[in-house]
């Protein structure tokens, strides 16, 4: 299934994690980093390891602490080989070497799928190198709160160049489109919907969330509309009949690129 929603939950609140597993998110991300106070790190790690000691009903990722720190090393040792883990999210990645280091540190076991979060100007500059760093890297994404602070950006539009940079880097490396960073206001659902529409226009696919109420908004924004589905079906059917370039009765020009996009739309529509 193509995931569209990633729900972050704090690792030091196991009861919330348990609820999150049943709330309909495509992926649950247990956070051991920013959402956990320093004096709760050990507890969060132990609670997460206990949960992931067995398989879970939905994919579970863990966001470890900053790569290269003793906290991250402890996180990786505790969870990287557990049967309930579906992926590791690596925060504040600024170089390909950091991804390789994580992969090498878990090499005694099968390396879990890795996802790099780019949250600094240096990380954006190295986006393509990070995206190609290791075969176990399955995706890249932005951490916009930290990036905005690093760049001194005041308006949300000031991040659009960085957003496009990450979309291009992912595509150039053969990775899936990145998901959008979280929308921090959990009650501003109209703002979330508008932001998702903007992200979709830029080439993102899906979004991270910090509250279950955000999940249906994100899913609606990223699933193709009925009109888009019908148009894609028309294009694919026409292409199957005539493999050359052609124009539909409504004037739509069809070539290989248009057919590829239509097939992508139908794959997303039928992702379940």
């Amino acid at each position: 299934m193509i995931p569209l929603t990633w729900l972050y939950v704090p690792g030091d609140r196991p009861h919330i994690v348990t609820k999150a597993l049943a709330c309909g998110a495509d992926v649950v991300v247990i956070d051991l980093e920013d959402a956990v106070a320093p004096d709760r790190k050990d507890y969060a790690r132990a609670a997460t390891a206990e949960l992931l000691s067995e398989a879970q009903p939905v994919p579970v990722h863990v966001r470890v602490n900053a790569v290269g720190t003793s906290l991250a090393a402890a996180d990786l040792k505790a969870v990287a080989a557990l049967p309930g883990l579906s992926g590791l999210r690596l925060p504040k990645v600024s170089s390909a070497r950091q991804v390789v280091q994580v992969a090498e540190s878990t090499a005694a076991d099968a390396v879990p799928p890795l996802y790099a979060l780019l949250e600094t100007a240096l990380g954006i500059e190295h986006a393509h190198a990070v995206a190609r760093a290791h075969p176990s890297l399955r995706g890249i994404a932005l951490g916009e709160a930290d990036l905005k602070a690093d760049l001194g950006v005041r308006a949300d539009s000031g991040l659009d160049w960085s957003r496009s940079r990450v979309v291009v880097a992912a595509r150039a490396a053969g990775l899936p489109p990145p998901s959008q960073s979280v929308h921090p206001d959990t009650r501003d659902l109209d703002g979330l919907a508008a932001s998702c529409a903007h992200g979709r226009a830029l080439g993102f696919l899906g979004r991270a969330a910090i509250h279950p109420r955000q999940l249906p908004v994100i899913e609606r924004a990223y699933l193709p509309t009925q009109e888009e589905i019908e148009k894609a079906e028309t294009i694919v059917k026409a292409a199957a009949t005539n493999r050359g370039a052609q124009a539909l009765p409504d004037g739509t020009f069809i070539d290989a690129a248009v057919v590829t996009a239509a097939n992508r739309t139908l794959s997303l529509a039928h992702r379940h």
Side-chain angles (χ1 to χ4, degrees):
M1 183 182 74
I2 301 172
L4 293 181
T5 53
W6 290 258
L7 179 62
Y8 275 85
V9 286
D12 63 338
R13 299 183 183 179
H15 63 289
I16 293 181
V17 175
T18 300
K19 290 181 179 179
L21 293 170
C23 73
D26 294 330
V27 180
V28 170
V29 183
I30 301 177
D31 190 9
L32 301 182
E33 193 211 14
D34 287 346
V36 179
D39 62 350
R40 300 273 290 176
K41 297 285 189 182
D42 291 345
Y43 172 71
R45 184 185 306 116
T48 300
E50 180 179 358
L51 175 74
L52 298 183
S53 62
E54 57 186 24
Q56 297 301 311
V58 297
V60 176
H61 293 186
V62 172
R63 180 166 74 171
V64 300
N65 283 279
V67 177
T69 65
S70 59
L71 286 172
D75 294 341
L76 293 170
K77 183 178 180 181
V79 306
L82 295 179
L85 181 76
S86 297
L88 288 170
R89 300 184 82 80
L90 312 178
K92 299 176 177 63
V93 172
S94 60
S95 72
R97 181 59 188 163
Q98 290 174 305
V99 176
V100 174
Q101 287 172 343
V102 171
E104 290 177 345
S105 73
T106 60
D109 305 290
V111 181
L114 304 177
Y115 299 82
L117 303 177
L118 309 180
E119 306 182 63
T120 64
L122 187 58
I124 299 301
E125 284 296 298
H126 293 165
H128 185 236
V130 170
R132 298 178 63 251
H134 194 273
S136 294
L137 189 78
R138 305 296 173 78
I140 60 174
L142 288 176
E144 291 191 354
D146 284 88
L147 181 60
K148 185 178 288 188
D150 189 41
L151 296 176
V153 168
R154 301 178 69 87
D156 184 74
S157 60
L159 292 179
D160 277 357
W161 184 89
S162 297
R163 291 165 176 153
S164 293
R165 176 76 180 97
V166 169
V167 170
V168 171
R171 177 59 185 153
L175 297 176
S179 58
Q180 276 187 278
S181 186
V182 299
H183 185 72
D185 187 339
T186 63
R187 296 191 179 276
D188 178 24
L189 300 185
D190 289 340
L192 171 61
S195 178
C196 287
H198 181 61
R200 186 183 180 194
L202 290 175
F204 287 89
L205 182 62
R207 188 164 200 162
I210 52 176
H211 194 283
R213 71 167 63 97
Q214 296 178 315
L215 300 177
V217 178
I218 294 169
E219 187 168 273
R220 281 196 302 271
Y222 274 99
L223 284 175
T225 64
Q226 187 60 39
E227 181 180 355
E228 289 170 335
I229 293 170
E230 291 173 358
K231 184 66 173 287
E233 289 173 341
T234 299
I235 290 170
V236 170
K237 183 178 180 179
T241 304
N242 183 349
R243 295 185 177 276
Q246 58 182 300
L248 296 179
D250 67 359
T252 300
F253 179 76
I254 299 178
D255 62 6
V258 173
V259 175
T260 297
N263 279 317
R264 187 182 300 124
T265 296
L266 294 179
S267 294
L268 187 57
H270 305 304
R271 69 190 187 103
H272 292 292

